[in-house]
Amino acid sequence: MNLQHLQTDLCALIKSRQIVNKDDEYICNINLSQHLILVKKIALWWRKIQIENSCRLTANLLKSKNEFEIALSDFFNDVKYSAFREEIYIQFLQYITSKNADALTVCVAEFELSLIQLKLNQHIQKFITWNYEPYQIINDLLKNVFTENTLIQGTYLVEISTENTELFTVKTLSH
């Protein structure tokens, strides 16, 4: 086996993906090793920390609903995620917005993804309709005190745009 195939298969083992050289004895022994389980746990732990730190609003919302670990597990199982830490949290937010999650989770993830894109100097013009007052939600998520009991119903249009001088604007449509 050449070095490229060995490295590809080792990476696939760590990420619980399909290996190329299924008949290679060395790869098979590693696959059955207890040490591989530890390496996988450490790799997932690092990715979890990256996502928690970079997607603070979405992560805190999912945690408040006891759905963060499940969402992470689903993401790691369903997505061929990047090895680059600058990309994985963007992929996570894209995954959350594409999933059939509840409307609030999708709004928060879209909002956070749009802010990240804005920060990365990408051209963006995004309008997100929220069914709850967004300032209260964002404030509570940043302080890690969010509960669904404090939600204020209404219809709010949040605009994130490179054309705005403010980070984002909120227009109340109804309350």
Side-chain angles (χ1 to χ4, degrees):
M1 174 182 336
N2 69 29
L3 180 60
Q4 180 183 3
H5 288 131
L6 175 63
Q7 290 173 332
T8 301
D9 281 343
L10 289 173
C11 181
L13 286 174
I14 291 169
K15 291 185 172 185
S16 299
R17 296 188 179 147
Q18 195 156 15
I19 55 176
V20 176
N21 300 302
K22 296 174 186 167
D23 298 328
D24 185 271
E25 184 180 347
Y26 178 70
I27 293 295
C28 289
N29 287 337
I30 290 174
N31 193 24
L32 298 172
S33 167
Q34 291 295 315
H35 300 291
L36 179 61
I37 295 169
L38 179 60
V39 170
K40 285 180 180 184
K41 284 182 180 180
I42 293 169
L44 289 175
W45 179 73
W46 274 110
R47 286 181 181 87
K48 175 183 174 184
I49 289 174
Q50 290 166 348
I51 290 170
E52 282 178 314
N53 290 338
S54 302
C55 308
R56 188 169 164 198
L57 298 174
T58 305
N60 283 347
L61 177 61
L62 290 169
K63 285 178 189 177
S64 75
K65 298 175 172 206
N66 294 317
E67 296 175 1
F68 183 63
E69 297 296 329
I70 294 167
L72 273 179
S73 178
D74 290 347
F75 170 71
F76 292 140
N77 290 329
D78 296 347
V79 176
K80 189 172 182 177
Y81 52 88
S82 175
F84 297 104
R85 54 177 255 171
E86 299 84 14
E87 296 173 4
I88 193 167
Y89 60 90
I90 293 171
Q91 289 177 312
F92 177 74
L93 290 170
Q94 290 168 335
Y95 176 76
I96 294 298
T97 59
S98 70
K99 233 179 113 170
N100 289 330
D102 68 277
L104 179 59
T105 304
V106 171
C107 284
V108 171
E110 283 182 341
F111 174 76
E112 195 160 31
L113 178 60
S114 298
L115 291 180
I116 289 168
Q117 291 168 330
L118 196 63
K119 184 179 175 184
L120 295 172
N121 292 322
Q122 296 177 6
H123 179 73
I124 186 155
Q125 178 81 33
K126 184 76 172 181
F127 296 92
I128 306 167
T129 304
W130 294 52
N131 295 324
Y132 302 100
E133 201 284 315
Y135 287 118
Q136 179 70 42
I137 294 168
I138 294 164
N139 183 54
D140 288 354
L141 289 172
L142 287 172
K143 293 179 179 177
N144 204 20
V145 295
F146 175 83
T147 66
E148 291 189 6
N149 298 336
T150 62
L151 292 174
I152 302 167
Q153 285 192 317
T155 307
Y156 303 85
L157 185 65
V158 176
E159 179 184 4
I160 301 109
S161 172
T162 49
E163 309 302 318
N164 284 350
T165 55
E166 298 177 20
L167 201 53
F168 65 93
T169 58
V170 177
K171 292 180 184 168
T172 304
L173 303 178
S174 70
H175 50 124

